[in-house]
Amino acid sequence: MTTPTVTVLSHTFTQPDPPPDTAKSITLGIPDNATAGYSPPQAIWFYDTPKDQDIFSTKALTKSLQRVLSSYPAYAGRLEHIPYRPDGDWSERFGRLRVNYGTDSDPGVETVIAHCEAPLASLIPNAEQRGRVWNASDVPFELFSGQDIKIALHDGLEMGGLPAAIVKMTTFACGGIAIAARLQHVLGDAQAFLQFVRDWAATHRAMARGLPLPVLTPIFNPRILDERGAGDINGAKPEKGIIDAAQKLPVHRYDWWASGPDCPEPFQHRTKPSPELQDTGSSPLGLPLPWKDWDTTQPTPHYVLHYTAEDISKMYHSLAPTDTEYSFSRLDALLAHLWASIVRSRNIPPSDPIFLNFAFNFRTRMTPPLPSSLLGVPACMIHATSSASSAHNHETRSLAIAIRKAIKSMNGETIPLFLHEVAHQVDTQRYWQLFGGRHHVMVTSWLQHGMCEVDFGAGMRPRFVEALMPGWIMQLMESRYGDYIDEDGELVVDDACSKMVNGNGHGGDLGTKAASTSGKKERPWYSSGVDISFNLEADVLEKLLQEPLY
């Protein structure tokens, strides 16, 4: 593929309009702080030429961005460290963060407008052309992502007035557009990020059509979760009984301070405690990151693999899902299949331990549940553990059991224990909850968040969405929307696009049963299949593509 020419036309900083009434300084939440060194949620939405060329006016899109930021003012704010006080409360321990907004020093959202001289179709094939397996390695996503722009905490340290969010809009010669967004992870997980993008799209649709603006309900209040922490999170010392129980949870605690030997140069700065902590009698060194298991310099081609609803159904039914002891889900089945396939492709010795690391959302797991529109990162990384023999022996059910056990262990009683542990960590970035070595498979699910249904008013879904994951993380999202057959064998006519055109919703995951008076029903996430976006070692990828689909 010939690299297209992309020309930057403007570079500005977008502020909320209307601006916040008052200046605020908000301490970020306990789990928010732990993600300062993680890759930010980011994605690019590629859209074909609309019937109404004005709908993708970058001037209008910037105006609607200003408007939606009035409901998300923290995303235009300034991140900074809270001064360290060894005898302070949990928020004054080392490395804790706050966001300030509503002031003249707010950096705003860095906004780049660019133009590509090539037509979109010459870079991104449509769904039919992509097929079951698409090699996306040659697509220059970096030209449209804004990844060359530094975001606050891009290295886990630097802020200096850098923006917490970045947007890049690139028009194409054909009239299409790429809309990219990136958010510093401490301000939002994938759910919060996608909620922001959906709200921006809904606001833009309304403004473009002269309709009433949607009522947006994001909640930016980290205390809602922090107050659920067990014991005294502000005490001088952690409570031993709580810590002992918390450390039985399936969360990796790889210690950066113990990981200097063999650590790649780009990460070496993380292996040394801050001078402020070197004489504080910090806890003994823990488990080092197993760098010998991960060659970070090895090329990893980028592929998108499509599974149909039938594929997922066969995976699911192979687990004996009627077994009430485990209550498997279709996602359990898909994850177990992917985990086993990658382990076999890497030829991990059968007696070796293997890990599936995945993002775990607290919102629905707390008792009572947290608000679904809660921003921030009410989440952590957890892992399922098994032996490679399960993968080699095609014992997918045993892997699904490991996944289900890990999920069940995190609940309204145990998550508060985890919050207590993290609140008392001397340095919020000392421990890493994940790893990308050969014995580890890392996955994040962006299912059921309307990622592929974001409509900025053109009345069509994106041609493709690229989630811009680091090379060692798999990402799952819904794909190929259209009419589908439900589990009762009835045709469900997909009217999601018409709902978005009329401004009556953002999700697009409802359908209407044909010849039925039952009204609308929720559309299963797997009904039109799932796309798996991943980067794997070239030799592993070759073997993986030869694996049976189920």
Side-chain angles (χ1 to χ4, degrees), residues 73-313:
Y75 289 5
R78 177 171 48 86
L79 288 166
E80 68 178 12
H81 281 118
I82 297 171
Y84 172 51
R85 288 182 58 227
D87 57 348
D89 64 23
W90 80 265
S91 68
E92 296 172 299
R93 295 178 182 128
F94 189 81
R96 271 55 177 184
L97 296 159
R98 62 189 172 204
V99 61
N100 305 311
Y101 58 90
T103 73
D104 292 339
S105 62
D106 293 357
V109 173
E110 193 155 353
T111 307
V112 179
I113 309 298
H115 179 71
C116 178
E117 297 179 0
L120 176 57
S122 69
L123 300 170
I124 307 289
N126 62 33
E128 288 69 30
Q129 292 167 334
R130 294 195 297 269
R132 297 293 294 261
V133 180
W134 177 42
N135 182 354
S137 302
D138 293 335
V139 180
F141 291 115
E142 69 279 1
L143 295 179
F144 313 108
S145 66
Q147 287 180 300
D148 56 323
I149 302 170
K150 286 185 178 181
I151 197 169
L153 294 166
H154 60 94
D155 59 355
L157 298 172
E158 184 183 3
M159 284 177 282
L162 291 173
I166 295 168
V167 164
K168 184 173 184 178
M169 294 175 267
T170 306
T171 56
F172 291 91
C174 60
I177 195 170
I179 300 176
R182 176 161 43 127
L183 177 67
Q184 170 46 238
H185 208 317
V186 297
L187 290 177
D189 58 1
Q191 181 166 326
F193 169 70
L194 294 173
Q195 177 182 326
F196 167 70
V197 175
R198 291 197 313 266
D199 282 350
W200 177 18
T203 299
H204 186 75
R205 290 198 306 271
M207 293 176 67
R209 298 189 176 92
L211 298 173
L213 293 176
V215 177
L216 308 182
T217 58
I219 300 172
F220 185 60
N221 183 0
R223 303 290 80 73
I224 290 177
L225 179 58
D226 294 345
E227 291 170 355
R228 308 274 191 104
D232 184 0
I233 61 174
N234 296 311
K237 293 183 178 181
E239 299 177 33
K240 186 177 184 303
I242 294 177
I243 295 297
D244 289 346
Q247 293 190 345
K248 294 177 182 178
L249 297 174
V251 178
H252 287 304
R253 296 166 180 84
Y254 289 117
D255 189 345
W256 279 102
W257 296 359
S259 304
D262 303 313
C263 179
E265 182 58 34
F267 302 120
Q268 274 291 338
H269 68 279
R270 300 193 64 178
T271 66
K272 301 174 180 63
S274 167
E276 296 175 83
L277 297 176
Q278 288 178 353
D279 298 320
T280 60
S282 299
S283 56
L285 295 182
L287 186 66
L289 290 150
W291 289 115
K292 291 182 178 180
D293 194 45
W294 186 8
D295 181 0
T296 59
T297 65
Q298 187 172 4
T300 53
H302 178 32
Y303 272 72
V304 178
L305 181 63
H306 177 76
Y307 287 105
T308 67
E310 182 182 8
D311 296 333
I312 296 168
S313 179

